[in-house]
Amino acid sequence: MRLLPLLTAFPGTHLPLLAEWARQFSSVPDPLDRLDALRRAQRRAEVDIRAALSRLAAEFEVPSSDVASAMGSVRDTLDELTSEVERDLAYELEQTDQY
């Protein structure tokens, strides 16, 4: 049962923040869970990219050291791509730890 639609179904009824008991019924995932999911997704992307680079290197006889070097850039790019989301989730996590 989702509580949020029920609470907004009454005209003029607005809750600025969910009460602690209402958070249990909310479908918003925990910031820690979302942060873990982000890190898992980053690792999956890294593995997929490494596999693609390895296939390309094998096909054109590129040294594996070049693939390893390219992966350093890939990691930096993934970190840059997701850094804002990661910071936001870390901030949310800090806020939930205060309650």
Side-chain angles (χ1 to χ4, degrees), residues 2 23-37 40 89 92-93 96:
R2 293 199 54 204
R23 290 176 203 255
Q24 297 173 5
F25 298 103
S26 175
S27 64
V28 177
D30 181 54
L32 183 58
D33 293 339
R34 292 186 299 167
L35 189 57
D36 288 342
R40 283 192 308 272
L89 290 171
E92 282 183 48
L93 188 57
T96 57

Side-chain angles (χ1 to χ4, degrees), residues 1-9 15 18 22 25-28:
M1 176 178 141
R2 293 199 54 204
L3 188 60
L4 195 53
L6 180 67
L7 292 175
T8 58
L15 295 175
L18 287 176
F25 298 103
S26 175
S27 64
V28 177

Side-chain angles (χ1 to χ4, degrees), residues 20-65:
E20 187 60 38
W21 60 268
R23 290 176 203 255
Q24 297 173 5
F25 298 103
S26 175
S27 64
V28 177
D30 181 54
L32 183 58
D33 293 339
R34 292 186 299 167
L35 189 57
D36 288 342
L38 174 65
R39 290 181 178 150
R40 283 192 308 272
Q42 283 176 308
R43 284 191 297 273
R44 279 193 313 271
E46 209 174 301
V47 167
D48 292 345
I49 293 168
R50 178 179 288 279
L53 291 177
S54 293
R55 282 191 308 272
L56 183 65
E59 184 177 340
F60 294 98
E61 299 176 5
V62 175
S64 61
S65 61

